[in-house]
Amino acid sequence: MSFFRKLFQNNQQKTGQGNEIEVFPSLQKNIAYIQQWLFYTDDLKWRNIRFNGRDGVILYLESVADTKEIQAGVIKPIEQAKEGNITEIITAVDVKYERKLNAISQSLLQGSAVLLFDGIGEACLVQVVASYHRDVKEPDNEGVVRGAHGGFIENLSVNLFLVRNRLESQNLVVRYYQLGDATKTKVAVLYMQDLANPDLVKEVDHRLRSISIDTIISPGYIAELTENNPYSPFPQILFTERPDRTVAHLMEGRVAILAEGDPTALIVPVTLFAFYQTPDDFHSRWIVGSFIRVIRLASFLIAFQLPAFYIAVVSFHAEVLPANLIDTVKSSVERVPFPPILEALVMELTLELIREAGIRLPSRVGQTIGIVGGLVIGDAVVRTGLVSYPMVIVVSLTAISSFVVPSYEMSSAVRFLRFPLMAMAALFGFVGIVFGLLFIMIHLSKLESFGTAYLAPFIPLRIKDLKDTFVRLPIWFLNQRPHDPHPKRLNQERYSRGWEHDDQGEE
Amino acid sequence: MRRVILILVSMWIPLFLSGCWDQDLLREVRLGYGIGFDLTPEGKLFATLVVRDVPSGEQQKPIDDIFSATSRTPREARDKLDKKLSGRLRGYKYRVVLISEERAKQDIYPLLDVFYRDPKMPLNTRIAVVKGRAADVLFLRELGGTVPIAKGIDELIASEEELTSVPKINVRSICPVMLDPGEDFVLPYLMKKEERVEVIGTAMFHQHQMVGTLSPDESTVYLLLKGKKAELARFTRKVEVEGEREGESPSPYDFITIEVKKAKQEMNVLVNKQEKIKVQLNATWKVNVIEYPRDQLDEESNVAKLNKILSKDLTRLAKQTIQKMQKARCDGFGVGRQLIAFHPEVWKKKEKNWASEYQQVQFDTKVEVEITQKGIIN
Amino acid sequence: MIKEKSRITQGQLMFLILQIQVGVGILSLPYRVQAVAKGGGWISTLIAGIVAQVLILILWAICRRYPSDTLFTFLPKIAGKFFGKLLGFGYIFHFLFIAGIILILFTDIVGKWILMDTPRWALLLLMIATGVYLAKESIRVIARLFVSVSFFIIVMVLLTMAGYTNVNFTYLFPITEAGWPNILKGSSEVLISLVGFEVLLVAYPYVEGNSAGKLKAASLANMLTTLFYAFEVFTCLIIFSPAEFPLISEPLMYMLRSFSIQIVERIDLFFLSIWVIIVATSFVGYLYLASTGLGYFFHRGEHKKAVYYAAFVCFILAMIPQDQKTVELMNQIATISAYTFAAGIPFILLVIAYFSRKRRMEER
């Protein structure tokens, strides 16, 4: 396999070298070459001009280039001046010269207008790329109650602007990559020079460079190609559409990867707990923030253990229910004709169906799904006695808890994990659950994300970092950055509440 | 990836192939809620079982299904009962075990062995002795027309526990005491009165057998002296004050109801040179007067007088209780236990006929009552 | 010599030892101790802790001489090539055997308390699959997991506290009822449950820091285990009357059977579930030790490959006993094996190492 890949790569390079043709002196020949290079695509347009007494032509792809900009920034000045130095005349910002026909053609694809003149072996490339992008809006999947409501959009430069705007530091470094042999997707890697661990940056660089693929469509491609253990159900890279979240992570010494055409930032390395934090934690008061975070983490446990626990109880260990509770449960399960595991599976799968259908449908029809799913199925299934009431409660509780997770990827992972645990519970009761949990725990403690233990700071234990893990202590408690990305500088807060002591002195 | 799929798939196969070895589906079992043991005239065991039937409709109250069987052992009884029952009988939610007085006067350990041995059986089941037949009580079906019998008795005993008139015990907690040669226990003592069930005191045990009974007041005094005061402990005593006319029926003015707020007690087991055993039992109770129509509690002298009368009265009651226990050979205070722990040489000598030795033990009992609160009027 | 990636801290060493020590024996420990030492059982436990401490000192003294060698590499240096290898195999066998015994007792107790009808192989498969999944990792990953799992020991202590609602301290007295000889004899029962500190022989070179710190970590682990055991034994002693004790072979589980917390009854089932984790860690510990040995001899130090067949051997071992008698017999063999390999041989090795060094010094 690798042999073929090598062969393929070599071929590519060879053909690339063969195409290094310089600009012909003849205008017609140049146009013909470019036309041929683009396979006579219909959106290649040109316009003849005259300048310095020479015949020239402006070439551009009307689908990428901004025609107004060409008109105002290139044609108009040239028409007015008639002669002179071309760089001085053209009012567009980015102008450069290029001799290689191949590169010239390529730049057409990236939205340049190409000025070619008869008899001159050099082309002038003017950057006139058209940009159509939507407004900066709050991302639907990561809303917050308070705080910044801006989100990334599908345009890389706007996204970089959003980050730079929040982080006006010389230390913020942007590194561009081009990924995808066909799509040539522009990818930017962001990190703080004074914080991010050089090993981490090197590792990210190494992994991105080794990507060899035709198309990069979504950041999911990049994530899957770079994450440590693709077999794990757990996401090892944090996806976020929030610039403020990105900045917060950058300031902890992590690396963010942004791609053209997608509003998602990939953040590495992350720990499990990063998926359970939101900017809201820091916008609310710390007691409230901690409380909500604890609830969220509890929801993590509920989401994948509750169905398993319920199955274990009703099919193995009914004796753990107190006398008063057992009546209620028993009266409800009495009529159900299936074993609890089947009951649970049917309900859980129905829930997944409703959820999936709800996402895909337009919101007006989505309401119908809610009614059908919630009222018709939920109610009818119990009334006919196919599923018991407690099971419906358990399934809805799990669903709600799994949606509490601020990250969609983690929420799916958690919901997926229920199924093996349910099977274990149906086979061995509590013992099965314990082994299932132990297995997951072992898996998690093996897992690493770009050299960081996935369960840090819990495994390996680092008490200092627990201040911002299960709870969120006041910001002036968090003197040090989290240790898990191994930042160069640990201190992040010094003596912000020093004024307290100043006041005392005055009195 | 293939490995992962293989694991995931192979996990589900056994589920649909064989089901599971230990599965014990809640929906398929019938839950026993209470069991009563009587003695047949032939000396066999007569077991009465209460099975809870839970109608599956909404808002229908559960009904207790009650039936009996005769057998030699409890387990055999259960198997016989199971034959009369649709679905498998499961005992893990027994709430009460009732033993008839007649049966309790024999060894009760065999009745409970299955509770101790089977890991599925509950150990927090309440246990009580019934005057008359246990079956009669259980066949009442409902207490007061609303509460199913097993639950009703369970709650009845629970509320009496709060009043310190029966000890807080269950099948588990009597076990160490029952097996210990140096201590005995008491159980709640119930009786069917008309269509209701009443707690009429406690049944004293010696080793594994019932040996006598205590009245509710005696039970409370015993529990207080043992330091097992629950939430409430009340006494209504007759206090004879001056000016009382003879021959008349006692008027409500002659009575006082007190509630023991704080009970402090001290038990010392002393052994003298002749190896005579003497037990000093001193208790101080701080009480709250909750009913005393004669009032006049603002006067120091009256309170002091009442303190004196009550102390004397309750000391007498305590002495009477202890006497009764000694006569019945019930070592409820664990005098033997103290000997084992602190005078092992003495115990070695007395171990063989501890029951009769215990009757010789001299108790030195004193109860001191002190009124500290009197409600919001004087 | 030891890669940076597989190093562990001293704190991790502590939890490593703690988790391997606290294991399958904890449930029946109070019963076994009480049978011999009566009310003085808790003293026996403390004495056993002190003896274990002495043994740790011996192990440490050997390890200190070969700071970058594991058990299997320094054995030939002390005892010569042939005997060194022989002893190495002896240790591997010992580790496998203890792992097997852990499995046997595990299936025994689970089969007795919760899963009565589940076949033994199914339970073994569960445990072994989980064990292999962890044991094939580096010592660092294992230690990391053990640290966080130690949280469950605290939960066990808290659950035991529930027992204090109904206790009778006079059951303890007279403390020396069984007499001092029996109390000492009782401590030998405890010592078997304290075994697990042998992991020091293999883990020593992986630990960061100086030798004094390592000794401190190992001693602290032993102390915590001893205190935990003493607490559990003490609690059982004041809950069960002396006459009741002989009836109950797993007192810790038994005492929780009657307690309930508001919404759940039968805390013992939860206790058992936690205990399963504690057992799994001990099993993983021994499986890892055995497979490092096998890896050293057959796979150039890669223990990963050895884990699979080491686990298979444990499985076979655990399938052998079909009745209580064989279990007893194997238990006795394990006891002898533990005394030999955790106490006897290290002591002899230390003496040899001491004299050979002296001789070398004199020769010089």
Side-chain angles (χ1 to χ4, degrees):
Chain A
M1 202 52 211
S2 63
F3 170 72
F4 279 108
R5 197 181 298 149
K6 239 178 228 166
L7 203 73
F8 183 63
Q9 277 177 340
N10 282 348
N11 273 347
Q12 242 182 355
Q13 276 165 6
K14 261 178 208 157
T15 48
Q17 275 162 3
N19 274 354
E20 296 269 308
I21 301 166
E22 304 225 337
V23 177
F24 301 107
S26 152
L27 196 58
Q28 290 311 315
K29 234 176 163 180
N30 284 331
I31 296 175
Y33 178 87
I34 292 172
Q35 266 187 313
Q36 198 197 343
W37 196 85
L38 286 168
F39 303 105
Y40 300 97
T41 179
D42 285 337
D43 55 350
L44 176 70
K45 301 275 169 182
W46 63 86
R47 186 196 146 133
N48 293 322
I49 43 167
R50 255 189 99 75
F51 189 66
N52 282 354
R54 285 175 193 270
D55 276 329
V57 68
I58 298 178
L59 282 153
Y60 60 94
L61 279 175
E62 68 171 352
S63 49
V64 222
D66 186 353
T67 41
K68 271 192 197 137
E69 175 76 16
I70 294 175
Q71 200 249 325
V74 185
I75 299 175
K76 214 170 174 187
I78 290 177
E79 296 275 294
Q80 278 169 357
K82 300 278 187 208
E83 57 190 48
N85 190 339
I86 209 145
T87 24
E88 285 168 15
I89 292 166
I90 291 175
T91 50
V93 181
D94 188 1
V95 180
K96 58 184 179 191
Y97 291 95
E98 180 61 61
R99 286 174 169 278
K100 304 269 188 299
L101 261 178
N102 208 34
I104 292 168
S105 317
Q106 185 67 47
S107 74
L108 272 173
L109 293 174
Q110 286 161 358
S112 289
V114 176
L115 266 75
L116 283 164
F117 292 99
D118 204 20
I120 293 178
E122 207 172 35
C124 177
L125 307 181
V126 187
Q127 188 74 26
V128 285
V129 64
S131 73
Y132 300 102
H133 52 78
R134 61 183 173 99
D135 293 338
V136 173
K137 264 200 331 190
E138 172 153 37
D140 288 334
N141 45 6
E142 277 178 273
V144 290
V145 180
R146 201 161 288 290
H149 290 293
F152 286 135
I153 61 168
E154 285 79 1
N155 187 298
L156 183 60
S157 50
V158 174
N159 291 350
L160 290 177
F161 160 77
L162 288 172
V163 174
R164 277 257 187 230
N165 195 26
R166 284 179 167 76
L167 200 59
E168 290 170 358
S169 160
Q170 66 176 112
N171 285 311
L172 177 64
V173 181
V174 179
R175 295 260 180 269
Y176 283 129
Y177 293 80
Q178 226 175 36
L179 298 180
D181 294 335
T183 52
K184 306 261 185 239
T185 311
K186 202 171 172 191
V187 170
V189 168
L190 279 73
Y191 59 91
M192 295 298 288
Q193 183 66 39
D194 62 333
L195 293 176
N197 191 304
D199 289 341
L200 171 65
V201 176
K202 218 163 54 195
E203 184 65 33
V204 172
D205 176 72
H206 177 66
R207 289 191 191 180
L208 283 179
R209 275 187 199 287
S210 67
I211 291 178
S212 167
I213 194 172
D214 280 350
T215 33
I216 295 275
I217 293 175
S218 64
Y221 277 58
I222 301 174
E224 214 157 284
L225 294 171
T226 52
E227 68 193 355
N228 283 41
N229 183 356
Y231 298 132
S232 167
F234 289 95
Q236 295 142 56
I237 292 179
L238 178 69
F239 291 15
T240 181
E241 292 188 22
R242 301 190 60 86
D244 50 350
R245 208 172 172 185
T246 310
V247 167
H249 281 294
L250 285 176
M251 285 309 292
E252 284 181 355
R254 293 175 217 275
V255 173
I257 303 168
L258 284 157
E260 179 72 60
D262 202 283
T264 314
L266 273 59
I267 294 181
V268 292
V270 284
T271 66
L272 177 82
F273 301 102
F275 290 94
Y276 280 84
Q277 300 174 352
T278 71
D280 258 344
D281 296 350
F282 294 90
H283 295 142
S284 41
R285 300 188 60 79
W286 72 270
I287 299 177
V288 182
S290 300
F291 172 65
I292 289 171
R293 193 177 276 182
V294 168
I295 286 185
R296 225 180 274 140
L297 283 165
S299 82
F300 171 69
L301 296 179
I302 292 173
F304 70 98
Q305 284 179 31
L306 192 65
F309 182 77
Y310 176 74
I311 289 172
V313 166
V314 291
S315 50
F316 283 88
H317 315 291
E319 62 264 35
V320 301
L321 295 174
N324 292 328
L325 195 58
I326 205 167
D327 277 355
T328 325
V329 176
K330 188 166 164 46
S331 71
S332 191
V333 298
E334 203 109 272
R335 283 201 304 161
V336 180
F338 311 116
I341 174 73
L342 212 63
E343 202 185 334
L345 263 183
V346 168
M347 273 325 270
E348 293 285 0
L349 288 176
T350 313
L351 178 94
E352 291 298 301
L353 283 179
I354 294 172
R355 186 193 56 80
E356 192 64 19
I359 296 176
R360 302 294 157 230
L361 282 175
S363 59
R364 279 175 222 95
V365 193
Q367 286 180 354
T368 329
I369 292 294
I371 294 167
V372 171
L375 295 178
V376 180
I377 296 181
D379 195 50
V381 105
V382 175
R383 280 187 187 276
T384 48
L386 290 176
V387 172
S388 60
Y389 273 121
M391 183 60 84
V392 174
I393 296 171
V394 164
V395 169
S396 358
L397 255 180
T398 353
I400 293 170
S401 329
S402 76
F403 293 130
V404 167
V405 191
S407 151
Y408 180 73
E409 288 72 33
M410 183 52 90
S411 144
S412 329
V414 166
R415 262 181 292 119
F416 169 74
L417 273 180
R418 279 178 306 188
F419 295 105
L421 266 183
M422 271 154 57
M424 291 297 276
L427 278 173
F428 300 103
F430 283 170
V431 177
I433 297 182
V434 167
F435 275 112
L437 287 180
L438 197 59
F439 208 81
I440 292 172
M441 197 124 153
I442 295 172
H443 175 73
L444 283 173
S445 61
K446 282 169 141 186
L447 209 55
E448 288 197 348
S449 160
F450 287 80
T452 288
Y454 196 57
L455 276 187
F458 184 52
I459 299 177
L461 195 64
R462 196 180 133 86
I463 310 268
K464 251 185 197 159
D465 286 355
L466 289 180
K467 282 191 252 181
D468 188 22
T469 303
F470 295 110
V471 292
R472 178 184 84 75
L473 292 191
I475 293 164
W476 39 272
F477 260 55
L478 311 173
N479 295 339
Q480 291 194 343
R481 284 171 223 286
H483 194 254
D484 57 271
H486 309 288
K488 279 194 203 163
R489 219 156 33 83
L490 270 178
N491 266 8
Q492 65 174 357
E493 194 271 345
R494 283 153 295 270
Y495 195 45
S496 306
R497 286 185 71 86
W499 52 267
E500 278 179 335
H501 297 279
D502 301 346
D503 274 0
Q504 274 175 359
E506 276 167 33
E507 267 179 277
Chain B
M1 198 61 216
R2 220 184 289 151
R3 234 178 12 187
V4 177
I5 292 173
L6 205 72
I7 293 171
L8 287 178
V9 170
S10 57
M11 264 173 71
W12 292 96
I13 291 171
L15 278 184
F16 299 109
L17 283 183
S18 64
C20 324
W21 300 282
D22 277 295
Q23 191 163 280
D24 187 20
L25 292 179
L26 179 62
R27 70 184 157 93
E28 284 171 3
V29 302
R30 301 291 298 274
L31 292 179
Y33 263 56
I35 191 158
F37 294 114
D38 288 305
L39 207 59
T40 62
E42 303 89 64
K44 277 191 171 179
L45 194 67
F46 184 76
T48 308
L49 182 74
V50 180
V51 171
R52 172 63 59 84
D53 258 336
V54 197
S56 46
E58 296 160 47
Q59 284 142 21
Q60 284 184 31
K61 65 173 185 180
I63 305 160
D64 277 350
D65 184 14
I66 298 149
F67 51 102
S68 314
T70 314
S71 69
R72 289 162 297 181
T73 66
R75 198 71 196 186
E76 193 189 29
R78 204 186 120 166
D79 290 341
K80 279 188 173 174
L81 291 165
D82 204 352
K83 286 198 182 100
K84 299 181 184 178
L85 201 63
S86 69
R88 283 171 295 170
L89 173 64
R90 284 285 178 276
Y92 50 68
K93 274 283 127 16
Y94 278 134
R95 299 186 71 164
V96 281
V97 177
L98 298 182
I99 302 170
S100 74
E101 191 175 343
E102 209 180 347
R103 179 63 188 82
K105 280 183 173 151
Q106 296 177 10
D107 192 346
I108 63 161
Y109 184 79
L111 300 180
L112 302 177
D113 182 71
V114 65
F115 280 85
Y116 299 135
R117 193 173 295 280
D118 187 345
K120 277 228 151 195
M121 288 295 258
L123 284 183
N124 54 358
T125 307
R126 289 205 162 82
I127 175 169
V129 175
V130 175
K131 189 174 184 181
R133 274 160 49 90
D136 290 344
V137 171
L138 291 178
F139 270 108
L140 278 176
R141 284 177 195 279
E142 275 170 344
L143 272 189
T146 48
V147 192
I149 186 78
K151 189 181 176 202
I153 293 177
D154 185 34
E155 282 165 2
L156 175 74
I157 298 175
S159 72
E160 286 302 304
E161 281 173 4
E162 302 289 283
L163 293 171
T164 327
S165 57
V166 296
K168 267 190 186 164
I169 46 121
N170 53 35
V171 171
R172 161 79 195 92
S173 62
I174 62 169
C175 186
V177 185
M178 181 160 49
L179 294 174
D180 192 26
E183 194 171 352
D184 292 319
F185 60 98
V186 300
L187 290 181
Y189 189 45
L190 312 178
M191 193 178 126
K192 181 185 155 196
K193 258 188 194 162
E194 282 139 30
E195 290 309 298
R196 288 188 175 270
V197 179
E198 195 183 318
V199 175
I200 52 166
T202 53
M204 293 185 286
F205 276 74
H206 173 59
Q207 306 283 10
H208 299 182
Q209 291 154 12
M210 179 177 161
V211 284
T213 59
L214 290 178
S215 75
D217 266 2
E218 288 167 344
S219 309
T220 312
V221 167
Y222 159 63
L223 289 170
L224 283 175
L225 287 178
K226 197 148 194 256
K228 299 264 171 176
K229 182 181 155 314
E231 251 80 318
L232 287 172
R234 278 191 191 142
F235 294 101
T236 299
R237 304 302 300 177
K238 190 173 179 193
V239 278
E240 294 157 56
V241 271
E242 42 196 294
E244 197 192 347
R245 286 143 297 212
E246 271 182 41
E248 276 182 35
S249 64
S251 93
Y253 281 101
D254 295 342
F255 289 88
I256 184 167
T257 304
I258 54 171
E259 186 182 308
V260 180
K261 277 282 169 200
K262 259 189 198 151
K264 246 206 257 167
Q265 66 289 319
E266 205 186 305
M267 187 173 100
N268 287 321
V269 178
L270 306 171
V271 183
N272 66 10
K273 288 222 177 83
Q274 289 84 43
E275 298 197 332
K276 271 248 175 209
I277 302 156
K278 194 170 148 191
V279 180
Q280 281 180 345
L281 203 54
N282 293 323
T284 328
W285 297 345
K286 298 215 162 121
V287 303
N288 180 5
V289 176
I290 51 177
E291 193 177 54
Y292 186 56
R294 214 177 273 277
D295 299 337
Q296 299 169 350
L297 286 176
D298 52 341
E299 270 177 50
E300 279 299 318
S301 60
N302 275 346
V303 175
K305 207 185 285 166
L306 269 176
N307 278 346
K308 220 171 183 180
I309 295 168
L310 281 171
S311 297
K312 203 173 145 202
D313 180 42
L314 287 172
T315 305
R316 194 185 49 74
L317 183 63
K319 281 190 169 153
Q320 175 194 328
T321 310
I322 289 166
Q323 236 166 34
K324 219 169 164 181
M325 292 178 84
Q326 270 185 302
K327 208 173 158 201
R329 294 172 298 154
C330 171
D331 184 5
F333 292 101
V335 178
R337 185 73 242 157
Q338 295 285 325
L339 287 181
I340 296 174
F342 303 111
H343 305 280
E345 15 15 271
V346 181
W347 172 253
K348 284 237 168 72
K349 282 180 206 158
K350 313 226 166 190
E351 196 178 355
K352 275 220 176 98
N353 41 3
W354 169 242
S356 59
E357 290 280 354
Y358 170 67
Q359 289 176 322
Q360 309 297 321
V361 171
Q362 188 193 339
F363 274 89
D364 199 355
T365 321
K366 209 169 145 198
V367 178
E368 195 106 6
V369 180
E370 188 187 327
I371 296 172
T372 52
Q373 287 172 306
K374 52 201 175 193
I376 49 174
I377 60 167
N378 286 320
Chain C
M1 167 106 201
I2 303 290
K3 273 182 267 158
E4 187 61 34
K5 267 234 148 189
S6 53
R7 287 196 164 271
I8 57 174
T9 64
Q10 289 174 3
Q12 284 171 334
L13 173 71
M14 185 187 102
F15 285 108
L16 193 71
I17 296 176
L18 179 75
Q19 281 294 344
I20 297 179
Q21 276 191 313
V22 179
V24 77
I26 177 77
L27 289 189
S28 56
L29 179 72
Y31 165 74
R32 283 183 285 124
V33 180
Q34 200 272 347
V36 185
K38 297 281 176 327
W42 57 281
I43 303 178
S44 304
T45 316
L46 294 178
I47 294 173
I50 294 167
V51 176
Q53 183 58 47
V54 174
L55 294 179
I56 286 176
L57 267 174
I58 293 175
L59 297 185
W60 171 76
I62 301 174
C63 291
R64 204 171 54 132
R65 283 159 193 270
Y66 306 96
S68 58
D69 283 319
T70 70
L71 170 69
F72 302 103
T73 50
F74 73 59
L75 272 178
K77 290 186 187 169
I78 301 177
K81 214 161 194 181
F82 176 72
F83 280 105
K85 267 195 174 164
L86 200 69
L87 277 178
F89 278 108
Y91 267 102
I92 292 172
F93 184 74
H94 162 67
F95 293 143
L96 282 176
F97 201 82
I98 300 268
I101 284 287
I102 290 174
L103 289 178
I104 291 172
L105 294 177
F106 160 74
T107 47
D108 228 38
I109 289 179
V110 171
K112 203 151 91 181
W113 278 87
I114 338 187
L115 302 172
M116 294 83 160
D117 299 328
T118 306
R120 181 186 276 258
W121 60 262
L123 287 175
L124 286 177
L125 229 56
L126 261 186
M127 181 58 110
I128 288 176
T130 317
V132 167
Y133 191 56
L134 182 58
K136 66 179 185 171
E137 290 306 310
S138 72
I139 194 168
R140 186 187 223 180
V141 173
I142 296 176
R144 274 181 185 175
L145 185 83
F146 282 13
V147 173
S148 37
V149 165
S150 299
F151 159 77
F152 287 112
I153 291 184
I154 301 171
V155 177
M156 276 174 116
V157 171
L158 289 179
L159 285 181
T160 322
M161 296 263 197
Y164 277 82
T165 47
N166 195 1
V167 294
N168 190 339
F169 285 96
T170 56
Y171 291 155
L172 279 179
F173 298 100
I175 291 173
T176 53
E177 186 187 357
W180 283 105
N182 274 331
I183 290 180
L184 284 176
K185 218 166 119 199
S187 60
S188 81
E189 288 286 336
V190 186
L191 199 57
I192 293 307
S193 303
L194 278 172
V195 161
F197 42 76
E198 310 101 284
V199 68
L200 195 64
L201 288 171
V202 173
Y204 190 87
Y206 292 96
V207 186
E208 296 164 352
N210 59 356
S211 61
K214 297 179 193 183
L215 177 66
K216 218 187 278 169
S219 310
L220 200 62
N222 182 52
M223 197 179 90
L224 285 176
T225 314
T226 310
L227 286 179
F228 174 57
Y229 279 4
F231 170 74
E232 300 292 8
V233 170
F234 184 83
T235 311
C236 287
L237 282 174
I238 57 177
I239 283 176
F240 297 98
S241 67
E244 194 185 9
F245 243 110
L247 303 181
I248 297 160
S249 52
E250 283 91 28
L252 262 185
M253 286 279 288
Y254 202 89
M255 66 182 230
L256 293 172
R257 258 182 77 190
S258 61
F259 296 117
S260 56
I261 329 172
Q262 295 301 321
I263 46 163
V264 283
E265 286 187 349
R266 296 295 304 273
I267 309 181
D268 56 326
L269 294 181
F270 299 93
F271 191 82
L272 191 82
S273 307
I274 294 173
W275 171 80
V276 166
I277 297 177
I278 303 290
V279 173
T281 55
S282 302
F283 172 66
V284 167
Y286 279 104
L287 191 59
Y288 173 80
L289 291 179
S291 52
T292 17
L294 289 168
Y296 170 73
F297 283 119
F298 300 120
H299 306 288
R300 296 200 207 113
E302 267 195 63
H303 80 285
K304 213 171 188 172
K305 290 174 186 156
V307 170
Y308 297 99
Y309 60 85
F312 185 71
V313 173
C314 294
F315 180 76
I316 298 292
L317 268 177
M319 284 301 278
I320 293 173
Q322 296 296 337
D323 53 60
Q324 207 55 40
K325 235 182 185 169
T326 337
V327 176
E328 268 318 300
L329 183 74
M330 289 183 83
N331 224 340
Q332 263 167 15
I333 299 176
T335 312
I336 296 168
S337 165
Y339 276 121
T340 325
F341 287 100
I345 292 179
F347 183 69
I348 297 169
L349 285 178
L350 183 66
V351 173
I352 294 175
Y354 178 73
F355 279 111
S356 65
R357 197 170 132 205
K358 216 173 182 185
R359 201 189 305 148
R360 240 181 293 144
M361 296 261 273
E362 279 165 8
E363 275 170 14
R364 218 176 279 163

